[in-house]
Amino acid sequence: MSSEINCDEEMGENGDNFDNCYWPPVYPTGNHTVLYNVPIVQPNQPPIPRRSTPKWDSEHVRMPCSSMSQYPLKKVRTRENIGRYKVLVIFLAFLQSDGTSDVVSRWDLIKTALQPPIKSSRELETAILSYNSKYTKSWSFRGLHKLFDECDEEDAEAFFDRLLPKIMDLALQLPQLIPGSIPLLKQGRNHSISLSQQQIACLLANAFLCTFPRRNTQKWESEYGNYPDINFNRLFGYTDERCMEKIKCICHYFRRVLNKMPTGVVTFSRRCVIREAMPRWDICDAPFRGIRVDVRTGGTIEEDGKGLLQVDFANKFVGGGVLATGCVQEEIRFVICPELLIARLFTEALDKTEALHVIGPEQFSEYSGYAGSFLWKGNFADDTPRDECGRRKCYIVAIDALHFAEQAQQYQARLMIRELNKAYVGFLPPERSKPISAVASGNWGCGAFNGDAKLKSLLQIMVCTLTRRNLVYFTFGDSNLKASIDELFNFLVEHQLTVQNIYRCLCEFSRKKLPGHTLYDYIYEKFRESQRSSRSPRNSPRTSRSPRNSESEDLAPSLVDCLDDYYVRENPNKRKPSPVVVSIQPKIADFFKKL
């Protein structure tokens, strides 16, 4: 039945949810890259960076401090009226006239450019463009200029005199803090990366100063065309108020970590499940009575979902428009918890059956508003406890929903299967024998993506039922939606329905092309009618349908199995295999023990 999740039996010993979640350990394996030494010897100090062989190839992040990161001399442009840049011009001219090299180390350019004093946003622009001269005419810093032109003189001086020199110094510590290689989390691979918060801060300082090579174009044919952007130049170009507020969040983050460097760690895990290991939703007999659903109109996922598996309504490029004008659920989460931003450095676009899990990010900023009304409200002191590995007990899963040009599209069976499978990958427990937390979610893929909240809530309930996770669902103030979901879930439990019952009902609804707003009414009518028929003395009792029923029963119009059509379309030259009931895959679960 629908009920509150945070009742006594759901609580840990300290009256919270943190003890109800399994926190996978951190240790280096073939599937888990750890960029610091383990075990951590001094918990009150940042972990010691782990040394490994630096690599410059398509499997790893191309680091700006690599000896292979070169810059062509002929493209260098500098401002002659700034003293230290005259030195840079003379240095480069000497190399060019010597004739021994046509290129120089890009890291040398960066080190020369990022030396204080830099007294204004325009001098900062000049410094950044000195090692990104190819983009002198295309990059804009209007947003950055507007922010500092309009802020108090005292605040501007504090940034350029005190904070910016520390950011530049932190960025230049990159060779010492990341003395090895960072693997790319590529499509089709299960892999994890654990970094210290200090290492993440260093990488973000480099992103803020736009030092990462080969990451400044989004053309699909480019090396990183299927990755999010990471350098902050796009954010600096927008003059929207929401972008100004996002820059404030980032600056506050640097102010916090440079005042006192946090000593924890964060783990990023790409999770991929092959299609053959996906559930057969049409024959899944998991009953809805096996879980609880708590629907809430108030609260937020990040604040009221502490200790739970928190859903990030993600873009397939994680972070979405966070470094542009985007400012909805995912983008807001990324700027109030800036450590999430570093996932954009190494995470390729999520594919159909992939998700990104993040354990340990810390929240640094308080905020108010949403989209155009978003405002940075000040400091946030995150008191979330840490696990044994030093990570905040904050568990986030990024799953990307489909974007529908027309709302009616989402009721197509193959697209509902896609959303079910995507949520399944995200909610799949890492180990079957370990305690699992509830899911904290909401209107996933609704709003700008045109998803129907009633359908998306039902799909998530189906996935939670299969993965045996309770669900805390936030409607963000929509009391009518809360009432609808509560009524539907109570109906599913009272009528002893299973996932396959509702899946087949959804397929029938899709086949009949009924209006989306009638979905819940259709479910009520179908199963009330079924119940009346089963109680009629003229009808003999019917047993639940077996996967091996006769052909005539397979063709019964009340048991439409659109998965058959889906399989044939995807595999036109193959015979459809005999159905096998798939719940939580032991092999998949066992695999994630190693991550």
Side-chain angles (χ1 to χ4, degrees):
M1 301 291 286
S2 177
S3 60
E4 290 190 5
I5 299 300
N6 60 346
C7 53
D8 292 341
E9 60 267 26
E10 284 286 327
M11 294 293 190
E13 295 179 359
N14 299 321
D16 55 36
N17 296 307
F18 299 117
D19 294 334
N20 286 333
C21 184
Y22 171 63
W23 307 95
V26 175
Y27 52 88
T29 68
N31 295 316
H32 194 158
T33 300
V34 182
L35 295 178
Y36 54 88
N37 290 340
V38 290
I40 298 174
V41 179
Q42 296 179 305
N44 296 325
Q45 297 292 327
I48 299 172
R50 183 171 183 264
R51 294 194 170 275
S52 62
T53 304
K55 296 180 180 178
W56 180 268
D57 57 34
S58 60
E59 299 296 318
H60 297 83
V61 174
R62 296 190 188 272
M63 301 290 278
C65 58
S66 170
S67 60
M68 300 298 293
S69 182
Q70 303 290 311
Y71 204 79
L73 289 174
K74 63 180 180 179
K75 294 186 178 180
V76 173
R77 300 289 185 271
T78 61
R79 292 281 293 273
E80 295 284 348
N81 61 331
I82 300 178
R84 67 179 177 282
Y85 292 111
K86 291 182 181 179
V87 177
L88 180 60
V89 172
I90 295 170
F91 170 68
L92 296 177
F94 171 76
L95 287 177
Q96 193 173 24
S97 62
D98 183 67
T100 57
S101 176
D102 293 327
V103 295
V104 293
S105 164
R106 191 166 186 268
W107 190 242
D108 286 342
L109 289 180
I110 292 169
K111 288 191 295 183
T112 303
L114 298 182
Q115 295 297 325
I118 291 179
K119 292 294 187 179
S120 70
S121 62
R122 286 161 182 82
E123 290 188 16
L124 178 57
E125 174 187 357
T126 300
I128 291 174
L129 289 176
S130 70
Y131 47 84
N132 290 291
S133 60
K134 179 180 179 180
Y135 304 99
T136 300
K137 295 182 179 180
S138 57
W139 283 8
S140 168
F141 290 76
R142 290 181 302 165
L144 192 67
H145 300 329
K146 179 182 177 181
L147 176 65
F148 287 106
D149 288 345
E150 295 180 355
C151 74
D152 295 337
E153 183 177 347
E154 183 179 345
D155 290 338
E157 288 181 358
F159 177 82
F160 290 107
D161 291 346
R162 295 193 292 275
L163 183 58
L164 182 59
K166 292 181 180 180
I167 295 175
M168 295 189 297
D169 180 65
L170 178 62
L172 295 178
Q173 294 179 43
L174 186 61
Q176 292 75 44
L177 293 178
I178 312 284
S181 302
I182 304 176
L184 296 171
L185 297 183
K186 289 194 165 187
Q187 290 182 350
R189 303 179 188 177
N190 286 283
H191 198 89
S192 298
I193 302 173
S194 289
L195 309 92
S196 71
Q197 289 183 280
Q198 183 184 36
Q199 290 173 319
I200 293 174
C202 176
L203 291 167
L204 286 178
N206 278 274
F208 184 83
L209 297 168
C210 308
T211 70
F212 286 104
R214 304 194 184 185
R215 302 302 292 266
N216 298 323
T217 177
Q218 294 296 298
K219 295 180 180 179
W220 67 269
E221 70 273 14
S222 65
E223 180 177 2
Y224 290 96
N226 206 31
Y227 288 77
D229 53 353
I230 183 62
N231 291 327
F232 277 47
N233 55 284
R234 272 211 304 161
L235 181 60
F236 294 156
Y238 292 104
T239 57
D240 304 54
E241 289 301 322
R242 70 187 77 179
C243 294
M244 305 293 99
E245 298 300 314
K246 288 195 280 187
I247 295 175
K248 291 179 184 178
C249 290
I250 301 302
C251 290
H252 175 71
Y253 161 76
F254 282 123
R255 183 162 52 243
R256 277 275 308 275
V257 299
L258 290 169
N259 180 53
K260 183 179 180 181
M261 185 61 67
T263 60
V265 300
V266 183
T267 298
F268 300 84
S269 301
R270 189 186 192 103
R271 183 174 291 185
C272 172
V273 179
I274 60 174
R275 177 181 295 182
E276 291 75 15
M278 283 297 174
R280 279 288 307 272
W281 300 99
D282 60 326
I283 53 177
C284 173
D285 59 359
F288 289 102
R289 67 173 182 271
I291 67 166
R292 288 181 295 166
V293 176
D294 177 9
V295 187
R296 304 180 183 180
T297 54
T300 61
I301 292 173
E302 68 271 12
E303 180 63 25
D304 299 274
K306 289 184 176 180
L308 308 183
L309 179 63
Q310 302 175 16
V311 178
D312 164 24
F313 306 157
N315 189 291
K316 69 176 183 178
F317 295 101
V318 292
V322 64
L323 297 183
T325 57
C327 199
V328 288
Q329 193 253 15
E330 180 177 37
E331 289 87 355
I332 291 174
R333 191 68 190 268
F334 272 56
V335 293
I336 64 173
C337 304
E339 290 162 338
L340 294 171
L341 286 166
I342 210 59
R344 296 170 65 86
L345 177 64
F346 44 70
T347 307
E348 190 175 10
L350 299 176
D351 211 345
K352 294 178 182 178
T353 58
E354 295 183 328
L356 179 71
H357 284 237
V358 186
I359 302 177
E362 182 172 342
Q363 182 175 342
F364 289 86
S365 290
E366 189 74 71
Y367 77 98
S368 67
Y370 191 80
S373 64
F374 173 76
L375 291 173
W376 175 72
K377 296 291 289 184
N379 182 57
F380 181 87
D382 194 338
D383 59 357
T384 305
R386 298 186 186 273
D387 67 6
E388 294 179 354
C389 300
R391 299 171 297 193
R392 295 280 182 190
K393 289 187 175 182
C394 175
Y395 203 155
I396 297 174
V397 58
I399 50 175
D400 56 300
L402 290 172
H403 180 233
F404 302 105
E406 298 179 3
Q407 274 205 334
Q409 294 175 326
Q410 64 193 293
Y411 303 101
Q412 297 177 29
R414 65 184 181 87
L415 300 183
M416 289 190 288
I417 291 172
R418 189 273 184 193
E419 302 294 70
L420 286 167
N421 288 344
K422 173 65 70 166
Y424 176 77
V425 177
F427 298 173
L428 187 67
E431 287 192 42
R432 298 182 66 190
S433 59
K434 302 295 183 181
I436 57 175
S437 68
V439 172
S441 189
N443 302 333
W444 171 51
C446 302
F449 275 25
N450 275 332
D452 175 11
K454 287 187 175 182
L455 174 62
K456 285 297 175 64
S457 60
L458 178 55
L459 296 178
Q460 291 181 83
I461 289 172
M462 292 168 66
V463 176
C464 284
T465 299
L466 177 56
T467 57
R468 301 297 190 267
R469 289 186 186 267
N470 294 327
L471 174 64
V472 181
Y473 194 97
F474 296 90
T475 67
F476 309 108
D478 190 337
S479 56
N480 291 331
L481 178 60
K482 169 182 166 52
S484 296
I485 298 174
D486 279 338
E487 182 182 3
L488 177 69
F489 185 70
N490 289 335
F491 179 87
L492 300 179
V493 173
E494 290 170 1
H495 286 72
Q496 302 182 31
L497 298 177
T498 64
V499 170
Q500 69 170 345
N501 297 143
I502 296 303
Y503 172 77
R504 292 175 178 176
C505 182
L506 289 174
C507 290
E508 290 180 7
F509 185 83
S510 172
R511 182 72 61 88
K512 293 180 179 181
K513 300 185 184 302
L514 298 173
H517 65 86
T518 66
L519 174 61
Y520 282 13
D521 290 335
Y522 182 82
I523 293 173
Y524 293 142
E525 181 61 28
K526 174 179 174 59
F527 290 105
R528 282 172 181 153
E529 178 64 29
S530 298
Q531 190 175 55
R532 286 193 293 268
S533 299
S534 65
R535 291 176 179 174
S536 172
R538 291 176 295 180
N539 293 322
S540 59
R542 296 176 63 90
T543 59
S544 60
R545 180 183 178 228
S546 166
R548 301 184 182 275
N549 276 353
S550 66
E551 182 179 356
S552 61
E553 190 168 350
D554 281 339
L555 297 176
S558 62
L559 295 173
V560 178
D561 185 1
C562 289
L563 189 60
D564 295 341
D565 298 333
Y566 176 71
Y567 185 89
V568 171
R569 283 196 300 272
E570 295 292 316
N571 305 272
N573 299 319
K574 295 183 180 180
R575 181 180 178 183
K576 185 174 180 297
S578 300
V580 178
V581 177
V582 180
S583 56
I584 301 174
Q585 295 291 315
K587 292 183 179 179
I588 295 295
D590 292 342
F591 175 81
F592 287 119
K593 293 179 182 179
K594 303 176 183 178
L595 296 185

